[in-house]
Amino acid sequence: MSTTATAAVLPATGQPFALQEVTVDDPRPDEVVVRVVAAGVCGTDIGVQAGHIPFPLPGVLGHEGAGVVEAVGSAVTTVAPGDKVLLTFTSCGTCPNCLAGHPAYCEEFLPRNLLGGTRPDGSTTIRGGDGDLNSHFFAQSSFATYALAEERSVTVVSPDADLTVLAPLGCGVQTGAGAIFNVLRPTPGSSVAVLGAGAVGLSAVMAAALTGARRIVVADLVDSRLELARELGATHVVNSGQTDLEAALKDLTGGRGVEYAVETTGSAPVLEAGIRALAPMGTLGVIGAPSPGTTAAFDVNFLLNGRRIVGITEGDSTPQLFLPALVELVLQGRMPLEKLIRRYEFSQINDAAAAAKSGEVLKPVLTLG
């Protein structure tokens, strides 16, 4: 048995998505079939399309899915048919990092989410007219009307939730917000710099505005994004194409530097400037992912004054705990996520991808019904 679905198949690097009929496997004991209602388009999806991320093709992408549970495997206990759910990354659940409550740093994160194209045992989850398709992207491949997800990547939300708003929580929003809430944890009266005002960076801004941070500085090249950053809680903005970033951050902190910073652009020069602008005992979280092999230069002695650089994946989130908390903040109006979103019909996926790639739209969301 299997489920017939319509999927946006990416045939090869640099090619447009093509809608076609596919079949989705029935769930194994630990899996869930979800009727997809909405799916965010993330920079990671665009990175695969551009060839920057070596996910095997042809395949089905999508990793910010949201929908309604249709069927569950025999061992599934946390969701039931009819539940509204968000889909996110998966993890093994048994490695030391998973057991310590850090599934985003699962030792098998890359093959299980980003690079494999199959279940861990090598089996496929989606088939097209020409045979098996690479899928199981972040254990969901939600650019399809039905997704087969692992139970560990599924989180229940309230029945009245608007999934077209909440879908981006599964990756981009939890990454930016989690960097603030889970990793940096700004202290009252502190300064926070957010480098890059894309969807991830602005999610960090919304989170920082809910902390006791006194100064929230956002840097970007696009003035319209900086204006939106102010709406979302930034106290100061810097156009880093017109101003020296390091000097601006130091000027805004009386020469001391910032206590907390997140780098979301994937630009090595921006990362280097952020490091140099850290205050003693300051921490910079690295979120932006440049091409493999990219290096950044910094003076090692500069770190000896307690400064720290930490890499962050998925906001160091435990999704079943963190996503419901973010949902509540959105529903309360305290994280105005709607300001980042533009909705597209599923048939407009190539328009949505182009808008995401150009930066015209911060967070395109596909609506699938």
Side-chain angles (χ1 to χ4, degrees):
M1 295 290 292
S2 58
T3 301
T4 300
T6 300
V9 176
L10 184 62
T13 298
Q15 296 297 306
F17 294 93
L19 298 189
Q20 68 180 63
E21 185 174 288
V22 300
T23 57
V24 179
D25 269 5
D26 281 345
R28 290 182 175 182
D30 63 343
E31 293 177 337
V32 178
V33 176
V34 175
R35 176 174 57 82
V36 180
V37 172
V41 179
C42 179
T44 303
D45 301 305
I46 305 306
V48 174
Q49 185 182 36
H52 302 316
I53 298 171
F55 182 80
L57 299 173
V60 181
L61 307 180
H63 63 289
E64 291 182 344
V68 179
V69 174
E70 291 283 312
V72 300
S74 59
V76 171
T77 60
T78 59
V79 299
D83 285 344
K84 281 188 174 181
V85 294
L86 300 181
L87 305 181
T88 185
F89 67 92
T90 192
S91 52
C92 73
T94 58
C95 72
N97 292 344
C98 283
L99 293 175
H102 299 282
Y105 304 130
C106 174
E107 293 180 1
E108 298 180 12
F109 184 91
L110 288 178
R112 283 179 176 264
N113 290 280
L114 198 56
L115 304 179
T118 66
R119 294 182 177 98
D121 67 2
S123 62
T124 191
T125 60
I126 300 178
R127 295 169 184 82
D130 296 327
D132 292 350
L133 288 166
N134 292 290
S135 52
H136 208 253
F137 192 60
F138 283 76
Q140 56 179 280
S141 287
S142 52
F143 285 170
T145 52
Y146 288 89
L148 183 65
E150 292 184 11
E151 182 180 17
R152 286 184 64 81
S153 66
V154 178
T155 300
V156 177
V157 297
S158 60
D160 59 346
D162 183 348
L163 297 178
T164 68
V165 173
L166 299 179
L169 293 179
C171 184
V173 176
Q174 85 171 337
T175 297
I180 297 295
F181 288 141
N182 299 331
V183 181
L184 297 184
R185 300 180 178 182
T187 54
S190 61
S191 57
V192 177
V194 177
L195 310 182
V200 173
L202 292 176
S203 297
V205 172
M206 289 188 285
L210 295 173
T211 71
R214 179 170 61 92
R215 183 177 286 104
I216 302 170
V217 185
V218 180
D220 200 271
L221 299 172
V222 181
D223 286 336
S224 61
R225 291 188 174 196
L226 295 175
E227 292 170 10
L228 179 56
R230 284 193 182 275
E231 290 182 35
L232 297 175
T235 61
H236 301 79
V237 297
V238 175
N239 187 315
S240 52
Q242 301 173 3
T243 305
D244 181 87
L245 178 57
E246 177 191 353
L249 293 175
K250 288 183 176 178
D251 286 346
L252 289 169
T253 54
R256 183 168 184 269
V258 294
E259 282 104 342
Y260 305 96
V262 288
E263 201 298 303
T264 71
T265 71
S267 164
V270 173
L271 172 60
E272 291 167 354
I275 293 170
R276 293 193 302 268
L278 283 177
M281 296 192 69
T283 301
L284 183 144
V286 182
I287 298 176
S291 301
T294 300
T295 60
F298 56 89
D299 185 340
V300 174
N301 289 301
F302 186 69
L303 300 184
L304 300 184
N305 207 3
R307 297 176 176 91
R308 298 186 300 164
I309 305 167
V310 58
I312 301 173
T313 295
E314 298 288 358
D316 193 9
S317 163
T318 299
Q320 288 74 18
L321 296 175
F322 190 53
L323 292 184
L326 293 182
V327 168
E328 191 63 26
L329 291 173
V330 173
L331 295 179
Q332 291 174 2
R334 298 166 69 192
M335 287 190 72
L337 186 55
E338 180 79 40
K339 291 178 183 269
L340 308 187
I341 290 171
R342 182 184 296 176
R343 295 171 179 81
Y344 292 80
E345 297 292 330
F346 190 27
S347 60
Q348 299 174 298
I349 184 170
N350 288 307
D351 294 334
K357 183 177 181 180
S358 70
E360 174 191 349
V361 177
L362 289 166
K363 177 52 65 173
V365 173
L366 304 173
T367 59
L368 289 82

